[in-house]
Amino acid sequence: MKKIALFALGCATLLGGASTSLNAQEVSYVEDCTQGVLLNPMKYNWFITAQGGANMLLSNHDSDAEFKNRIGASAGIFGGKWFTPVWGFRFGATGQILRGLTTSDGAFRDPHSNSVIVNDKGVHLYSERLATLGPQAELMISLSNWICGYNPNRVYNGVLHAGGGAYWTFRHTAADNSWHDAHNRTFFAVLGYQNNFALNKHIDLFLDLEGKIMDYSTFDQIEESKSITAELGVQVGITYKFNKTDWTCPVTAVCPTWKYTDAEGDALVARLANADSKVRDLQRQLDNCLARPQKDCEGSNALATIYYPINVSTLSSREVTLVQSMARTMKANPDKKYILTGWADNYTGNEAINTRLRNERVNGVKNCLIKAGVPESQIQTRIDGNNLTDLGKKSAQFDRAVTVIEANN
C-alpha cells in the first residue's frame, strides 16, 4: 500500500506542470438560458396595454345583413404581469359598439332604422346597435417561450390569452339621441392569439385575433331560442413594460479553446514525450518495489501509523486527532494490549540523533494515549533501528514514524 502511495505521489509531482498551465487559462462565465431561468422579484415584469379595433357580431339574423353593416368598434386597456417567461396575467376593461340585425321587438333595435330587409321566412329585420362596457381578466401563455425556449432577443412572440368578464349593456334611444343603460348584464368568455413584435426592451406592438361567446338572450329579449352568441374581433395595440423586463439565466462556465503556435505545439509534444519517459521510469521503479520482499512490521494486527517530518518528534494537531481516535478503540478493548514502535530513517542524521528521535516519537504517542484515558498497562513501547519501509533514500519520509499494532496474546 505504501509503494502505491509513493507511485501516486511521483505522478502528481510529474503532472504538476500541466495542471499549472491549465489553471493559467482564463475561464469565462456567461448566462445560459437553455438551462432555464431564475424567477424575478414581484416588482419586475409588469406591463400596461392599450388596444383598439373592429368586431363582428354573430347573433341571430346577423348573417342576413351586408358585411359592412356588421362591423363594430372595440377598445380596451389592461395592466398585467409576467410571473415567468411563459405564464402571465392581465386585468382591465373593454368597451364595444356592436352592430347587426334584429326583429321589430329587439331590445337593441336602432330607433332610427326602418325595415332594411325581409328574410326568407318573411320576417322584417331592422338595424341593431348596442354598446358594452365591463371588466375582463385573462391568463396569458407565451407559446414562443414555451415551445422554443426563452430568448431575451426574440423579436416575435406569440401569446395565447384566455379568460372572461362581464358587460354592462347600453342602448341608443331616439328621444335624446344618446346612450342609456339597458339595465341588463351578461357574462362572456374570450380566447385570443396576440402577435407581439418587440420594438425594444420596453415597447411591443401587436395584432390580436380573438373570439368571444356570451349570453344572447340579454341582447335580444324576444328571441331567446338562441341563448348563446359569438363575436369575432381584430385589434391592434401597444404594450409598455416597466422596470426589469427580461429574466436572469443560470451562469455556466465556458472553457477557452486552446490554440498553439507551431513552436508551442512542438514544445508541448516534447514535454509530453519527457513525461511519458518519466512515467515509464516510475512504472519500472514500482515493478521493482513490488518484486522486492517486503518487511511486514505491522502484520494483520496493525492499528495505525503516524508519520513525522524530518527531525521532528512532536505531534501535529492532525496527528493528535488520529491518536485520540486510536485511544477510543483501545479503551473499548481493555483486555487487549498494544505495541508502539518508534522509527527514524537511516539516510539522514547519525545514530545518536536517530535513536533520540525514535524514543521521543514513541514516548510522545504513549503520553498522548495516556492523556486520552488509555491505561498505561495496555501500552508497550519499543524502538527499531532499521528502516520501516526500506524503499531507498527517496522514500525516507515513510521511515519516520510510530507504528501501533495489537499485541499477540
Side-chain angles (χ1 to χ4, degrees):
M1 187 66 182
K2 296 183 182 66
K3 295 178 179 179
I4 295 176
L6 175 62
F7 179 66
L9 179 64
C11 290
T13 303
L14 174 64
L15 299 178
S19 176
T20 302
S21 299
L22 178 61
N23 292 335
Q25 301 295 317
E26 292 187 2
V27 178
S28 60
Y29 297 89
V30 299
E31 289 189 2
D32 184 1
C33 295
T34 63
Q35 305 297 321
V37 297
L38 306 177
L39 297 185
N40 288 334
M42 190 66 180
K43 64 182 179 179
Y44 296 136
N45 304 104
W46 289 89
F47 63 88
I48 186 171
T49 293
Q51 61 188 46
N55 59 53
M56 184 172 66
L57 188 62
L58 304 177
S59 62
N60 204 10
H61 305 304
D62 292 331
S63 60
D64 293 322
E66 293 184 25
F67 178 78
K68 65 179 181 179
N69 295 328
R70 298 176 64 184
I71 303 301
S74 61
I77 186 167
F78 295 89
K81 172 179 170 58
W82 287 100
F83 295 95
T84 74
V86 175
W87 302 96
F89 176 83
R90 72 175 185 174
F91 178 84
T94 58
Q96 302 178 103
I97 295 178
L98 301 170
R99 299 173 63 193
L101 290 178
T102 186
T103 61
S104 60
D105 295 324
F108 296 99
R109 173 185 167 182
D110 188 338
H112 300 289
S113 171
N114 295 319
S115 178
V116 295
I117 193 171
V118 179
N119 65 14
D120 55 3
K121 296 181 180 179
V123 178
H124 287 257
L125 301 176
Y126 301 80
S127 294
E128 178 181 48
R129 186 165 59 153
L130 67 148
T132 65
L133 179 64
Q136 181 173 323
E138 294 179 290
L139 176 69
M140 307 184 72
I141 304 173
S142 171
L143 297 182
S144 298
N145 288 337
W146 188 6
I147 298 172
C148 303
Y150 172 65
N151 180 358
N153 300 315
R154 181 177 288 123
V155 174
Y156 174 80
N157 187 20
V159 175
L160 184 70
H161 57 96
Y167 279 144
W168 284 261
T169 58
F170 301 85
R171 65 164 56 92
H172 195 264
T173 61
D176 56 1
N177 196 33
S178 61
W179 294 96
H180 292 273
D181 189 351
H183 300 291
N184 58 27
R185 308 289 181 263
T186 184
F187 293 99
F188 66 89
V190 60
L191 176 66
Y193 185 80
Q194 196 177 85
N195 300 271
N196 291 271
F197 299 90
L199 301 184
N200 54 46
K201 285 186 174 295
H202 292 280
I203 299 177
D204 287 354
L205 293 180
F206 65 84
L207 174 68
D208 194 9
L209 309 175
E210 67 177 24
K212 294 180 180 178
I213 56 173
M214 62 197 85
D215 186 357
Y216 180 81
S217 63
T218 62
F219 287 179
D220 195 333
Q221 298 165 351
I222 301 301
E223 300 191 27
E224 298 186 0
S225 60
K226 184 178 180 182
S227 61
I228 299 296
T229 190
E231 172 197 336
L232 298 178
V234 178
Q235 301 188 76
V236 295
I238 185 170
T239 296
Y240 180 79
K241 295 172 281 187
F242 298 95
N243 298 324
K244 181 178 174 65
T245 63
D246 53 4
W247 302 83
T248 302
C249 302
V251 174
T252 58
V254 178
C255 295
T257 301
W258 284 20
K259 296 182 179 179
Y260 295 97
T261 63
D262 290 343
E264 291 172 333
D266 293 341
L268 180 59
V269 170
R271 287 182 59 189
L272 290 175
N274 184 51
D276 185 59
S277 175
K278 291 183 178 180
V279 168
R280 288 196 300 271
D281 183 60
L282 284 171
Q283 182 63 52
R284 180 186 56 78
Q285 294 180 44
L286 177 60
D287 292 340
N288 292 337
C289 288
L290 293 176
R292 181 187 304 170
Q294 298 189 50
K295 175 171 53 180
D296 188 0
C297 63
E298 299 176 353
S300 61
N301 295 329
L303 184 61
T305 300
I306 302 163
Y307 294 98
Y308 296 81
I310 186 172
N311 203 32
V312 173
S313 60
T314 58
L315 294 168
S316 67
S317 58
R318 181 183 63 183
E319 304 305 333
V320 169
T321 301
L322 175 59
V323 173
Q324 291 172 343
S325 177
M326 286 192 300
R328 288 192 290 271
T329 300
M330 293 178 178
K331 289 188 290 183
N333 299 276
D335 57 329
K336 295 182 179 180
K337 297 184 181 299
Y338 298 88
I339 300 174
L340 280 58
T341 305
W343 303 83
D345 73 273
N346 291 318
Y347 306 105
T348 58
N350 54 43
E351 182 60 28
I353 293 175
N354 290 337
T355 299
R356 175 180 58 80
L357 286 172
R358 294 178 184 113
N359 281 295
E360 289 178 351
R361 286 168 180 170
V362 74
N363 290 326
V365 175
K366 175 184 177 181
N367 293 336
C368 188
L369 288 171
I370 293 174
K371 185 177 180 181
V374 179
E376 187 174 1
S377 60
Q378 279 188 270
I379 304 172
Q380 300 176 19
T381 61
R382 67 187 183 187
I383 64 173
D384 193 314
N386 298 307
N387 289 319
L388 174 59
T389 62
D390 202 22
L391 294 176
K393 187 174 183 178
K394 292 183 179 181
S395 303
Q397 64 267 32
F398 296 113
D399 294 318
R400 303 162 190 148
V402 170
T403 58
V404 182
I405 64 173
E406 180 184 329
N408 295 321
N409 295 329

